[in-house]
Amino acid sequence: MLRKLLLLPLLLAATLTAWAHAYHASIMDVRYNAQKQQLEIALKVFTDDFETALSAGRSASIDLDQSPKPLVTQLTTDLLRKSVVFGTKPGEALPLQLLGMQKENDAHWLYCTVKLAKPVTSVNLRHSLLLSAFPDQMNIVNLEASGKKQSVLFREGEQEQKITW
């Protein structure tokens, strides 16, 4: 009987672990810095989901903590530039610069900037990060510009939106 009582918490913990990551989402905080004419971006992604996307089509899996840093940086930059595209007009793709990343529990924060040629009051954003790996992926964008805050949801079928402030 005691053995069964000790087994119950282990089974419960295993079940909760399996349920802990039952959804796919990212959160992006974007701040429009009018003085520097740039967008300042902090993007939070689940580590395992991001590693899955970085590993797609590669012979070896990518581990954000173990793989060579230059390789991780290059793959991350390439993936972000392909799936997170800012522009001031439709079809434009402004260069996104990866500044770095930071681990936080089961997620990573990715820090980027996008330089703008002139002051703007809106941006076009195509945000399809992780959608090819996870069709149920939801990408939430919180934007702060000119004293206003707003949130926009990007998901399958809704990858491109214009955000105005």
Side-chain angles (χ1 to χ4, degrees), residues 8-25:
L8 183 62
L10 290 174
L11 290 173
L12 182 61
T15 302
L16 289 175
T17 301
W19 280 70
H21 190 62
Y23 64 95
H24 300 97

Side-chain angles (χ1 to χ4, degrees), residues 23-149:
Y23 64 95
H24 300 97
S26 73
I27 297 176
M28 178 189 293
D29 293 325
V30 180
R31 184 175 157 260
Y32 172 54
N33 186 328
Q35 278 188 327
K36 293 184 178 181
Q37 287 186 201
Q38 69 182 12
L39 300 173
E40 298 166 347
I41 302 158
L43 172 62
K44 186 175 184 178
V45 293
F46 284 113
T47 301
D48 58 339
D49 293 349
F50 199 62
E51 288 172 340
T52 296
L54 292 175
S55 300
R58 302 190 55 79
S59 58
S61 293
I62 298 298
D63 182 308
L64 291 174
D65 296 323
Q66 302 298 319
S67 297
K69 293 291 181 207
L71 175 63
V72 169
T73 299
Q74 185 60 54
L75 292 173
T76 298
T77 300
D78 292 346
L79 180 61
L80 289 176
R81 286 183 177 165
K82 181 174 72 174
S83 58
V84 178
V85 180
F86 287 91
T88 56
K89 56 189 174 210
E92 180 179 45
L94 295 171
L96 182 138
Q97 180 183 2
L98 178 67
L99 301 176
M101 60 179 80
Q102 177 182 7
K103 185 175 183 173
E104 181 184 273
N105 300 319
D106 61 348
H108 271 74
W109 281 98
L110 311 175
Y111 301 101
C112 311
T113 58
V114 173
K115 297 283 185 190
L116 303 167
K118 60 183 180 180
V120 297
T121 57
S122 68
V123 291
N124 294 304
L125 174 56
R126 181 173 50 82
H127 192 346
S128 60
L129 185 66
L130 304 179
L131 278 170
S132 60
F134 307 102
D136 65 335
Q137 176 74 26
M138 293 183 297
N139 295 312
I140 301 161
V141 176
N142 301 311
L143 179 108
E144 182 178 340
S146 301
K148 299 178 185 174
K149 294 181 182 182

